[in-house]
């Protein structure tokens, strides 16, 4: 019980500190913007460690963060091999192919009202298919290596990107489009100089959503067939052996990789859409 009260006290203290920091001018620029989430994350880890040790939680139920960190430090070759197979060979190629196909399809839909009425409902139908049902089929079609994982990722990221790009292409104002037509601009000139820049916030919103879906899709697909390495394969294998520390190590690596990928896209968004009100401080 004492461990629980200490955890509550630590949580309330960290909460009060974060509330105070969030109201300071420093928290709105530079390193100060990252200070609040860093303190929050550190607080969660400290509470996790304290509660697991104080309440005597069995490692098979929930290992402590220190045990997970120790497992990561002693399993770096295995974790790197799994990371390369799942993310570098599965998630990223699928992400690039799916987003590229969505972009080209969105341009075709924008050019053709027929495709807009006929293709979008089909895309909605495909997006509603459960991944646990689709992944085994794609594994049988494309084999057990990275190609089937990339195919699953393509299916998962295609429709969110398509919807965002199609919506973004309609984001420019009618008066702006009429002005481009008055100046004699062609469709492609209007697209490149007006409509695509106006669509960039929507495009990056879709990219950020797709970055998380790509990682999830690649890991889930490995549950249904993969070589003897990969993050999904390792998680399913270690769960059967009750190696929960390795499972959490893989989860930690996946979370860090996903956060880094999302952060990279957010940085590129700030550089590309510096003119948008959401990027002004």
């Amino acid at each position: 019980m004492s461990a629980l009260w200490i955890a509550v006290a630590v949580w309330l203290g960290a909460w009060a500190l974060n509330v105070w920091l969030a109201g300071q001018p420093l928290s709105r620029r530079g390193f100060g913007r990252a200070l609040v989430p860093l303190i929050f994350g550190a607080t969660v880890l400290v509470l996790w460690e304290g509660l697991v040790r104080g309440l005597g939680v069995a490692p098979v139920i929930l290992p402590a963060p220190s045990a997970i960190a120790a497992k990561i430090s002693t399993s770096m070759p295995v974790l790197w091999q799994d990371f390369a197979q799942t993310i570098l060979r599965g998630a990223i190629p699928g992400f690039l192919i799916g987003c590229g196909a969505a972009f080209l399809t969105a341009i075709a839909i924008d050019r053709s009202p027929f495709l807009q009425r006929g293709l979008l409902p089909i895309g909605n139908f495909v997006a509603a298919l459960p991944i646990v049902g689709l992944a085994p089929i794609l594994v049988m079609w494309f084999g057990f290596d990275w190609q089937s994982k990339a195919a699953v990722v393509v299916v998962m990221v295609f429709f969110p990107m398509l919807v965002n790009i199609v919506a973004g292409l309609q984001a420019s104002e009618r008066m702006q489009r009429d002005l481009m037509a008055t100046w004699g601009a062609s469709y492609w000139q209007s697209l490149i100089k007006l409509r695509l820049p106006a669509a960039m916030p929507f495009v990056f919103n879709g990219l950020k959503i797709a970055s998380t879906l790509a990682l999830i899709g690649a890991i889930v697909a490995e549950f249904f067939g993969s070589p003897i390495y990969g993050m999904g394969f390792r998680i399913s294998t270690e769960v059967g052996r009750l190696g929960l520390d390795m499972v959490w190590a893989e989860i930690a690596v996946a979370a860090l990789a996903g956060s880094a990928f999302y952060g990279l896209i957010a940085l590129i968004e700030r550089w590309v859409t510096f003119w948008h009100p959401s990027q002004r401080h």
Side-chain angles (χ1 to χ4, degrees), residues 136-160:
I137 297 174
L138 293 177
V139 168
M140 298 308 297
W141 285 358
F142 294 97
F144 291 93
D145 208 349
W146 64 270
Q147 293 88 345
S148 58
K149 317 316 179 277
V152 172
V153 172
V154 168
V155 173
M156 289 193 68
V157 307
F158 177 81
F159 187 70

Side-chain angles (χ1 to χ4, degrees), residues 274-281:
F274 62 91
W275 50 268
H276 195 263
S278 64
Q279 304 299 332
R280 299 172 188 165
H281 303 294

Side-chain angles (χ1 to χ4, degrees), residues 51-81:
L51 288 174
V52 167
R53 292 183 179 276
L55 300 178
V57 179
V60 73
I61 301 297
L62 182 64
S66 58
I68 298 171
K71 189 64 177 179
I72 292 176
S73 64
T74 58
S75 306
M76 289 300 294
V78 174
L79 291 172
W80 169 252
Q81 186 182 42

Side-chain angles (χ1 to χ4, degrees), residues 35 43 50 52 58 74 80 90-91 111 135-136 146 150 155 168 171 176 178-179 203 207 212:
L35 195 57
T43 304
V52 167
T74 58
W80 169 252
R111 289 281 285 170
W146 64 270
V155 173
Q176 295 172 325
D178 289 344
L179 186 59
V203 172
L207 288 173
T212 58

Side-chain angles (χ1 to χ4, degrees), residues 85-131:
Q85 173 68 18
T86 302
I87 296 179
L88 300 184
R89 300 185 65 193
I92 291 180
F95 174 84
L96 296 175
I97 295 171
C99 292
F103 182 82
L104 296 177
T105 305
I107 299 297
I109 288 175
D110 185 67
R111 289 281 285 170
S112 171
F114 167 74
L115 289 178
Q116 187 170 5
R117 291 192 296 268
L119 192 58
L120 282 180
I122 296 176
N124 189 22
F125 170 78
V126 173
L129 294 175
I131 189 62

